[in-house]
Amino acid sequence: MTIHNIESLEAFKETIAKNEVVIVDAFATWCGPCKAIAPTLAKWAESPEFKDKVHFAKFDVDAVPALAQELGIRAMPTFIFFKDGEKVDNFAGANPPALLKLLNKHSGIASE
């Protein structure tokens, strides 16, 4: 499993409809913090504790402005969690410990 690239508003809607738990990374190619956290997110997408429980997706806010507007993105990176097609959480910033806590929460892994 990898991080799936979303290239349209329709693809986003299909992604959250087809997958029980989805984390969406709203990023920009020019964003330093986005580049800094990307390898950590990629590592989590491959890790056994999340691999089959969370669908990792991302989109470039400049390439898919309609989706950025639909989701109300105001800062990058912004991570939005969806469960059964509904938005359940969001987090802005490149803060791996805080993001990991939310990943654990929404994948069903109890956090300390």
Side-chain angles (χ1 to χ4, degrees):
M1 184 169 171
T2 61
I3 300 178
H4 304 272
N5 201 27
I6 295 174
E7 296 179 353
S8 69
L9 184 55
E10 294 74 29
F12 160 75
K13 289 179 178 178
E14 189 176 309
T15 296
I16 65 167
K18 281 186 173 179
N19 299 281
E20 185 182 347
V21 179
V22 179
I23 177 175
V24 176
D25 172 10
F27 75 97
T29 55
W30 47 263
C31 166
C34 299
K35 290 176 186 173
I37 200 164
T40 303
L41 204 60
K43 183 179 79 177
W44 290 335
E46 294 296 330
S47 71
E49 63 263 38
F50 303 124
K51 196 172 180 171
D52 298 321
K53 296 179 183 152
V54 179
H55 183 87
F56 287 78
K58 66 179 182 174
F59 77 97
D60 182 339
V61 296
D62 294 324
V64 195
L67 180 52
Q69 185 174 356
E70 169 103 358
L71 296 176
I73 304 300
R74 294 186 298 275
M76 277 76 64
T78 293
F79 302 94
I80 306 171
F81 292 83
F82 294 87
K83 211 169 216 174
D84 299 321
E86 297 294 320
K87 178 179 171 181
V88 292
D89 228 329
N90 69 300
F91 176 79
N95 181 335
L99 188 55
L100 183 58
K101 188 175 181 181
L102 286 177
L103 263 172
N104 285 330
K105 173 182 172 185
H106 295 298
S107 65
I109 296 172
S111 58
E112 322 297 299

